[in-house]
C-alpha cells in the first residue's frame, strides 16, 4: 500500500469511525458558518435595502439654477432632461420639478408651487394628504396654510398674483438659494424664506391690473378662484405651501417659465451620491448655457449614513463574537478527538511516523469538518438571510456567489486554525510514555 493510499485510509477511518466526534466538529462549523453568512449577507444588503426604503421619504438631491439669469427664468425642460439623464446613468431615479411664485390670499402673502402632480406624488410617498391632490382649478394647501385661512377640503379661495411680489421673489430667492449649500433641508425651505422680503418690496411697487392677475393695492383681493381639493400634512416646510398644477400657476402668473427647483430621489448614498453631485456641477461649469447647481439634501443623506453605519457596526460586532465562539467550539472538539486518539498517535510515532505526517492528517481532517460544516451552514445562512430580508424589507435577497465562496474558505480556515494548538500537542506526544501506560 502506497503512502498516499495509507494516508487516505487513515483519514477515512478517523472521520467515519468516530462519527459522534466528527458530527460535533461539523455542527460547530455549521453554526458558525450559518450565523456569519446570514449576518454578512444582511450587512451587504442593508445599505441598498435601507437606501431604497429611505427613498420613500423624499429627495436626497436637488438641482437649482446657478446664475442670476437662470433664477429668473428657471431651469428649462431641455436642461432638466439632460441632468436627469446624467443622474440616471447607472442609477434608478425619480424626479419632480417645482415652480415657485409669490401670491396673496386675503392680502396675506403665500408661496404657491406649480408641480407635475404625478411626479411629486411618486417622489413623496410619505406625504399625508387629506382629500385629493391638485388638479385643474383645484389646489392642495399645507396644513399651516389651511389653519391660517380657516379652510377645509371643498372650500374655495381667491388667489391673487402680484408682479411686484414675483420680482422680489427672484432677487431674494437668489440669495436664499446661494446660502443653502452647506445645510439643505428641502427645496421648499428656501422658497418659504423669501416671503417677508416679497411682502416689503411688493408693497412699494405699483403694477397695472390685468385679468385679475396683478394688483397694485395691498388690500386688493382680486384674483382667480380655486377649490381646495386636499390638505397636506408632513410636519415640515411643505405645510406652509400651496400646491397647484404647473398649468394653473402659469395661467395665474400670465406667463410660462422653467422650474426653480428640481428634486431627485437617487438610488445612491454617501460618496456615490457626492460623486453624482460633483459630476453635475462639473458639467454645468463646462456648459454655461445650462448652468445648474446640484447639492445633497443633508437631512436625508445624513440620516441614511448614520442609520446604516450603526447597523453595520452592530452586525460586525456580533460577527466577531460568533467567529470567536466558532473557533472555541471547533478547537474544543479537535482537542477531544486528539485526546481520544492519543494512544494511536504514540503507536504510530513508535513505528516511525514523523510529526509532520501526523499533523497534516489532523489538519486535513479539520479542514474536511470545516468544509462540510461550511457547505451546510452557508445554505442555512442564506435561507435565514432571505427570510430576514423578506420579513423586514419585503424584498427578496439574491445569492451572492462571492460571499458563498468566502464563507466556505473561512469555515475551512477557522477549522484548521482552531486545530493548531491541539495538533501541536499531539505531535509532541512521547511514544515511550504512551506505550508504557498501555
Amino acid at each position: 500500500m502506497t503512502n498516499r493510499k495509507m494516508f487516505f485510509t487513515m483519514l477515512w477511518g478517523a472521520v467515519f469511525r468516530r462519527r459522534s466526534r466528527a458530527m460535533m466538529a461539523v455542527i460547530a462549523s455549521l453554526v458558525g458558518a450559518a450565523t456569519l453568512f446570514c449576518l454578512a449577507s444582511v450587512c451587504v444588503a442593508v445599505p441598498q435595502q435601507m437606501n431604497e426604503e429611505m427613498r420613500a421619504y423624499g429627495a436626497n438631491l436637488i438641482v437649482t439654477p446657478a446664475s442670476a439669469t437662470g433664477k429668473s427664468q428657471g431651469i428649462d425642460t431641455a436642461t432638466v432632461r439632460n441632468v436627469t439623464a446624467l443622474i440616471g446613468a447607472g442609477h434608478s431615479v425619480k424626479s419632480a420639478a417645482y415652480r415657485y411664485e409669490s401670491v396673496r390670499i386675503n392680502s396675506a402673502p403665500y408661496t404657491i408651487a406649480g408641480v407635475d402632480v404625478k411626479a411629486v406624488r411618486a417622489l413623496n410617498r410619505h406625504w399625508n394628504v387629506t382629500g385629493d391632490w391638485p388638479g385643474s382649478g383645484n389646489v392642495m394647501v399645507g396644513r399651516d396654510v389651511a389653519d391660517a385661512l380657516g379652510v377645509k377640503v371643498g372650500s374655495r379661495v381667491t388667489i391673487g398674483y402680484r408682479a411686484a411680489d414675483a420680482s422680489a421673489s427672484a432677487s431674494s430667492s437668489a440669495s436664499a438659494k446661494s446660502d443653502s449649500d452647506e445645510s439643505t433641508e428641502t427645496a421648499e425651505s428656501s422658497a418659504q424664506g423669501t416671503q417677508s422680503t416679497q411682502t416689503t418690496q411688493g408693497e412699494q411697487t405699483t403694477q397695472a391690473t390685468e385679468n385679475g392677475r396683478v394688483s397694485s393695492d395691498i388690500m386688493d383681493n382680486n384674483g382667480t378662484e380655486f377649490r381646495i381639493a386636499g390638505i397636506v400634512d408632513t410636519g415640515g416646510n411643505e405645510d406652509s405651501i400651496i400646491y397647484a398644477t404647473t398649468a394653473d400657476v402659469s395661467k395665474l402668473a400670465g406667463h410660462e417659465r422653467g422650474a426653480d427647483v428640481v428634486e431627485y430621489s437617487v438610488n445612491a448614498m454617501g460618496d456615490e451620491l457626492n460623486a453624482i453631485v460633483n459630476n453635475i456641477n462639473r458639467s454645468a461649469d463646462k456648459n454655461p448655457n445650462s448652468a445648474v447647481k446640484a447639492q445633497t439634501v443633508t437631512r436625508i443623506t445624513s440620516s441614511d449614513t448614520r442609520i446604516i453605519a450603526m447597523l453595520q457596526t452592530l452586525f460586525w460586532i456580533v460577527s466577531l463574537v460568533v467567529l470567536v465562539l466558532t473557533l472555541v467550539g471547533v478547537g474544543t472538539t479537535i482537542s477531544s478527538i486528539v485526546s481520544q486518539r492519543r494512544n494511536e498517535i504514540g503507536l504510530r510515532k513508535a513505528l516511525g511516523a514523523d510529526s509532520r505526517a501526523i499533523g497534516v492528517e489532523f489538519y486535513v481532517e479539520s479542514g474536511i469538518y470545516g468544509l462540510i460544516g461550511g457547505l451546510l451552514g452557508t445554505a442555512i445562512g442564506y435561507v435565514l438571510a432571505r427570510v430576514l430580508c423578506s420579513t423586514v424589507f419585503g424584498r427578496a435577497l439574491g445569492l451572492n456567489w462571492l460571499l458563498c465562496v468566502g464563507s466556505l474558505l473561512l469555515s475551512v480556515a477557522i477549522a484548521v486554525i482552531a486545530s493548531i494548538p491541539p495538533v501541536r500537542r499531539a505531535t509532541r506526544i512521547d511514544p515511550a510514555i504512551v506505550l508504557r501506560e498501555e
Side-chain angles (χ1 to χ4, degrees):
M1 181 179 291
T2 64
N3 290 337
R4 179 174 297 179
K5 187 174 182 181
M6 176 62 72
F7 173 80
F8 285 110
T9 300
M10 295 290 293
L11 188 63
W12 180 270
V15 172
F16 290 97
R17 280 203 306 268
R18 300 172 178 85
R19 287 189 291 271
S20 60
R21 301 287 185 183
M23 187 65 68
M24 291 175 61
V26 169
I27 290 175
S29 296
L30 182 152
V31 172
T35 307
L36 289 173
F37 184 84
C38 177
L39 290 173
S41 297
V42 173
C43 193
V44 170
V46 156
Q48 184 67 23
Q49 300 280 17
M50 284 291 296
N51 190 43
E52 293 178 3
E53 290 294 324
M54 292 296 289
R55 296 289 62 77
Y57 293 94
N60 57 350
L61 185 152
I62 65 170
V63 173
T64 57
S67 63
T69 303
K71 287 180 172 64
S72 61
Q73 297 177 354
I75 308 173
D76 59 77
T77 304
T79 301
V80 173
R81 188 162 48 246
N82 292 336
V83 172
T84 302
L86 186 63
I87 297 175
H91 300 87
S92 61
V93 60
K94 295 179 182 178
S95 64
Y98 299 80
R99 172 188 174 179
Y100 294 109
E101 298 289 352
S102 180
V103 296
R104 290 185 180 272
I105 302 176
N106 298 333
S107 302
Y110 292 96
T111 298
I112 190 170
V115 298
D116 180 335
V117 175
K118 184 178 180 180
V120 172
R121 191 169 187 173
L123 183 65
N124 299 288
R125 290 179 290 168
H126 66 291
W127 283 11
N128 180 22
V129 176
T130 303
D132 296 325
W133 287 71
S136 180
N138 296 272
V139 297
M140 179 176 69
V141 300
R143 170 56 60 188
D144 293 344
V145 177
D147 292 342
L149 296 175
V151 296
K152 59 183 180 180
V153 175
S155 301
R156 308 190 75 86
V157 294
T158 300
I159 302 177
Y161 174 80
R162 295 169 57 89
D165 293 345
S167 61
S169 175
S171 60
S172 59
S173 177
S175 60
K177 292 288 185 183
S178 62
D179 293 338
S180 64
D181 289 346
E182 293 297 326
S183 177
T184 303
E185 291 189 358
T186 56
E188 290 88 346
S189 62
S190 58
Q192 187 67 19
T194 67
Q195 289 184 358
S196 61
T197 306
Q198 294 167 3
T199 304
T200 304
Q201 295 186 6
E203 292 171 358
Q204 297 173 353
T205 307
T206 302
Q207 297 288 339
T209 301
E210 181 179 356
N211 297 330
R213 297 194 184 101
V214 179
S215 175
S216 60
D217 188 350
I218 190 174
M219 299 304 294
D220 191 347
N221 292 325
N222 291 332
T224 304
E225 188 176 71
F226 289 90
R227 175 182 174 272
I228 296 178
I231 299 173
V232 58
D233 189 354
T234 68
N237 294 304
E238 297 87 356
D239 293 356
S240 301
I241 296 177
I242 303 167
Y243 294 91
T245 63
T246 303
D248 279 349
V249 172
S250 297
K251 184 177 179 181
L252 181 67
H255 64 280
E256 296 182 356
R257 65 177 181 86
D260 294 298
V261 174
V262 183
E263 293 186 346
Y264 291 93
S265 179
V266 189
N267 190 22
M269 57 177 294
D271 294 337
E272 189 178 9
L273 183 61
N274 291 330
I276 295 174
V277 171
N278 294 333
N279 193 22
I280 295 172
N281 292 335
R282 281 196 302 268
S283 300
D285 293 337
K286 295 178 182 178
N287 184 10
N289 293 328
S290 61
V292 292
K293 178 176 61 178
Q295 57 197 59
T296 59
V297 181
T298 55
R299 183 182 64 181
I300 299 296
T301 55
S302 61
S303 297
D304 284 5
T305 305
R306 185 171 59 255
I307 293 172
I308 291 173
M310 291 173 60
L311 289 175
Q312 287 182 324
T313 301
L314 178 62
F315 284 143
W316 289 123
I317 291 174
V318 175
S319 299
L320 182 61
V321 172
V322 172
L323 182 64
V324 172
L325 292 177
T326 303
L327 282 170
V328 172
V330 175
T332 302
T333 305
I334 297 298
S335 295
S336 177
I337 292 175
V338 169
S339 299
Q340 190 180 32
R341 297 174 60 185
R342 186 169 178 270
N343 294 338
E344 175 191 330
I345 295 170
L347 180 60
R348 289 176 61 186
K349 293 190 72 175
L351 294 175
D354 60 0
S355 298
R356 180 177 178 276
I358 295 174
V360 169
E361 180 183 333
F362 275 104
Y363 289 138
V364 173
E365 182 181 344
S366 300
I368 291 174
Y369 297 149
L371 180 62
I372 296 174
L375 284 170
L376 297 176
T378 298
I380 295 174
Y382 173 68
V383 173
L384 293 175
R386 189 178 178 88
V387 171
L388 184 61
C389 285
S390 176
T391 303
V392 176
F393 299 105
R395 291 179 173 85
L397 177 69
L399 182 61
N400 189 327
W401 288 105
L402 185 61
L403 200 59
C404 289
V405 174
S407 176
L408 292 178
L409 294 177
L410 183 61
S411 296
V412 173
I414 290 175
V416 172
I417 292 172
S419 66
I420 290 177
V423 169
R424 290 185 65 183
R425 290 194 298 270
T427 57
R428 294 173 181 174
I429 292 176
D430 188 346
I433 298 176
V434 173
L435 294 176
R436 190 179 302 118
E437 291 176 354
E438 288 292 325

